């Protein structure tokens, strides 16, 4: 997707550059021209700017690559009242997210090159952020026959996944990994044993037991992950573990990585922020898949992010309108929106001293970019000018009603966070702006 | 290549005895013996182009075509080969015999053996069936395809087609493309072509590639464009339609797009490259008709002609070692 470049070069002076690709976190400046990063300066401001350059004084604000979110759901096509590609793209821009990967479990399912093409055309017309479709791994996302992975990849899908639905049949999973791997296409899979998770709405624990909620044990995730690891060892294909959520599967992941297997893993910002107790009095905005786990699991997940065991953080943006959330807990739809709160929620881990800023930014820029083979995600000369400028200290109270997303099911509603996006740039064009500059 | 019609004496002098009683695998032969069979086959090609194609090398011999799997071209090829050599040929197929009434393969073999045939030609859906049969009978057994294991006479006819087109086999780059996993043709060809010094590539989706195929002495490649680049011979394999419904390959249109041979992909092969296919072809699936029917690049018709000649050479060589019981 290419946007028309903005008119004339733009220089951002006096910023705090955070660039995981070069490992730089410090004062610097950047010149954008023709939609690309033209110059990068570590330390001093840029001089000898081209004539007609518009200069933005950043006053020490964070300037980093725009975020790349590999797990976003919208309702388009098929369920537009939830969220359209346009509303999701506007929410993304407001959150400093410059690339989103939409999940294929729409209606119709993205299991056909024509639907991939539809998404890309819509995104081009919307002209806000980059929107990439993930293709379904199996026909209809039903876990039986392989979808047209090669044709969808040619059309522009960036990886394949059946989203929330696990691929139960091990033979299908094996063939899928072999086939996609042979074509160089990444497969993402959320590990969940279908029998242990059947009917579950919470994680199995003392809390869910007292609350009387049908629950799944963490073992459901561990069992399926161990199977997937064995199949990766068999096929040699790349796998992205979608939303690892607990300590035990992290141990499996660590062993697999130690063996040198080509496995990467994502975690959702929700599982890094909340634990099962946040469900409180059956609050359905905290009903998620996988379910929120124990505090020990959350701590293990944060350590995994810091150590690099968890490669990528996603928003797991999942819009659900009130009619799907204002229901008894076990009848409510799972999921929470997250595009606009991803950055401040990440910054919380920085402000709490849990993780270095550079590492946190890496998990939402360079790491996802590498996973799906984009040029973005780095502050390097020649890279697309997908950028965000943010005041990382600005205090705010999240008010779901003020969020741009069509659905307001934010788990961060009422939460005090720090960090405010000042503007977002995609291919050199400002697509969101908090204040006049 | 047109030779003057060979005389019976020339053929007799060249029909050196086959090294083994049975012909079950291409590995039954060494490169010198392969060359001898191909030389002999060349004479039969010339003979077959004559008005009178008969020669009495196998006079009085009985050939049984035992085809448990239906086949048109291989069965008729062996039948013609036997008849042109003067043998009596009997065709048996499961539907017309007691095999479909539950008789086991070994029972059938013992029964047939009692009829004193000289050569049994067997095609069976199970790998190893020809070998099993050969252990239970007194006559010679020729493997005309056992499951996903071997089809040695096909590899010989492919080698003959290549040798006549290029004048050599050693040094050629041969890309064998498509469903390698289920292909006995591919297995026999890899063994024979590497033995003869060709450079072989196996090209196909990972789901249609046998485990550790890279250890067969061939190079494995999961991209058709890369796989055919610079190849002298592009050999396409048949893909069974039932394997295309998502289990091993997503769809027919994706298969053709990624793995089907058309002009554009063939243009990446070496100048003067030839296209082969063991047949029967799925047009528009693994091969575009435009390529298959172009006689300037396609050896597909030649392969069928060479098939009869090679099988005559195999039968004549085997007959030359048969003793009179």
């Amino acid at each position: 997707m290419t946007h028309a470049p903005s008119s004339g070069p733009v220089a951002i002076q006096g910023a705090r550059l955070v660039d995981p690709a070069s490992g730089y976190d410090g004062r610097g400046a950047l010149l954008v021209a023709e939609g690309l990063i033209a110059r990068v300066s570590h330390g001093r401001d840029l001089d000898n700017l081209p004539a007609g350059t518009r200069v933005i004084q950043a006053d020490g604000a964070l300037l980093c690559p725009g975020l790349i979110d590999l797990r976003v759901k919208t309702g388009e096509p098929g369920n537009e009242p939830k969220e359209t590609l346009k509303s999701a793209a506007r929410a993304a821009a407001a959150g400093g997210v410059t690339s989103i990967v939409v999940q294929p479990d729409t209606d119709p399912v993205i299991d056909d090159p024509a639907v991939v093409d539809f998404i890309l055309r819509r995104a081009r017309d919307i002209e806000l952020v980059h929107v990439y479709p993930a293709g379904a791994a199996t026909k209809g996302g039903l876990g039986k026959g392989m979808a047209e992975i090669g044709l969808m990849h040619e059309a522009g899908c960036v990886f394949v996944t059946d989203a929330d639905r696990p691929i139960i049949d091990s033979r299908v999973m094996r063939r899928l990994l072999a086939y996609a791997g042979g074509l160089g296409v990444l497969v993402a899979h959320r590990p969940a044993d279908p029998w242990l998770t059947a009917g579950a709405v919470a994680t199995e624990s003392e809390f869910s037991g007292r609350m009387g909620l049908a629950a799944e044990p963490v073992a459901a995730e561990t069992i399926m992950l161990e199977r997937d690891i064995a199949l990766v060892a068999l096929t040699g294909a790349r796998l992205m573990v979608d939303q690892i959520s607990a300590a035990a599967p992290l141990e499996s992941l660590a062993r697999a990585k130690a063996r040198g297997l080509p496995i990467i893993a994502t975690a959702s910002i929700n599982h890094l922020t909340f634990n099962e107790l946040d469900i409180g009095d059956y609050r359905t905005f905290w009903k998620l898949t996988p379910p929120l786990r124990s505090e020990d699991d959350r701590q293990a997940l944060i350590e995994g992010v810091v150590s690099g065991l968890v490669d990528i953080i996603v928003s797991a943006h999942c819009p659900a309108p009130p009619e799907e959330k204002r229901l008894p807990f076990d009848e409510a739809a799972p999921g929470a929106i997250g595009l606009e709160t991803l950055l401040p929620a990440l910054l919380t881990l920085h402000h709490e001293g849990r993780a270095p800023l550079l590492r946190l930014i890496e998990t939402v820029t360079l790491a996802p970019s590498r996973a799906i083979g984009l040029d973005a995600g780095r502050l390097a000369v020649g890279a697309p000018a997908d950028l965000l400028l943010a005041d990382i200290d600005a205090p705010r109270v999240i008010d779901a009603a003020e969020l741009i997303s069509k659905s307001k099911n934010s788990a961060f509603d009422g939460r005090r966070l720090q960090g405010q996006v000042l503007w977002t740039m995609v291919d050199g064009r400002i697509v969101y702006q908090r204040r006049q500059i | 290549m047109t030779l003057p019609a060979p005389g019976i004496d020339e053929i007799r002098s060249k029909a050196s005895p086959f090294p083994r009683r049975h012909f079950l695998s291409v590995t039954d032969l060494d490169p010198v013996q392969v060359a001898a069979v191909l030389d002999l086959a060349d004479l039969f090609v010339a003979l077959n182009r004559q008005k009178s194609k008969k020669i009495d090398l196998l006079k009085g011999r009985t050939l049984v075509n035992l085809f448990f799997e239906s086949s048109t071209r291989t069965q008729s090829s062996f039948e013609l080969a036997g008849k042109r050599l003067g043998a009596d040929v009997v065709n048996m197929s499961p539907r017309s015999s007691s095999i479909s009434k539950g008789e086991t393969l070994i029972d059938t073999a013992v029964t047939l053996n009692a009829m004193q045939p000289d050569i049994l030609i067997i095609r069976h859906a199970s790998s190893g069936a020809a070998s099993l049969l050969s252990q239970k009978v007194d006559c010679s057994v020729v493997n005309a395809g056992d499951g996903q294991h071997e089809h040695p006479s096909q590899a010989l006819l492919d080698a003959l087609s290549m040798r006549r087109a290029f004048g050599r086999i050693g040094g050629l780059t041969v890309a064998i493309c498509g469903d390698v996993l289920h292909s006995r043709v591919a297995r026999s060809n890899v063994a024979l072509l590497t033995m003869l010094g060709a450079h072989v590539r196996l090209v196909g989706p990972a789901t249609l590639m046998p485990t550790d195929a890279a250890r067969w002495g061939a190079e494995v490649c999961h991209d058709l464009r890369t796989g055919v680049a610079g190849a002298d011979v592009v050999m396409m394999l048949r893909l069974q339609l039932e394997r295309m419904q998502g289990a091993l390959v997503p769809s027919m249109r994706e298969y053709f797009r990624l793995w089907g041979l058309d002009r554009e992909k063939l243009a990446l092969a070496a100048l003067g490259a030839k296209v082969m296919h063991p047949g029967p072809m799925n047009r528009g699936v693994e091969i575009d008709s435009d390529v298959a029917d172009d006689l300037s690049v396609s050896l597909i018709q030649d392969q069928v002609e060479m098939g009869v000649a090679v099988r005559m050479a195999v039968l004549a060589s085997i007959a030359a070692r048969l003793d009179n019981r």
Side-chain angles (χ1 to χ4, degrees), chain A residues 112-114 139 144-152 154 174-176 178-179 181-183, chain B residues 205-207 211 222-223 225 244-255 257-259:
Chain A
D112 183 297
K139 289 192 170 86
K144 300 280 198 302
M146 267 188 277
E148 292 176 319
I149 295 165
L151 296 180
M152 288 193 293
E154 279 187 358
R174 180 215 177 147
R175 287 171 168 173
L176 173 68
Y179 188 82
L183 297 177
Chain B
T207 42
T211 306
H222 297 310
D223 178 73
R225 287 165 206 274
M244 244 174 292
Q245 310 307 318
L248 292 164
V249 173
S251 67
M252 209 184 291
R253 65 178 185 177
E254 174 155 329
Y255 191 82
R257 171 88 181 193
L258 298 184
W259 308 102

Side-chain angles (χ1 to χ4, degrees), chain B residues 11-38:
Chain B
I11 289 177
R12 255 186 227 289
S13 69
K14 286 216 173 179
S16 54
F18 206 73
R20 292 163 195 263
R21 178 151 68 99
H22 308 298
F23 185 31
L24 304 177
S25 160
V26 291
T27 56
D28 290 338
L29 301 172
D30 65 27
V32 175
Q33 292 157 346
V34 171
V37 173
L38 298 186

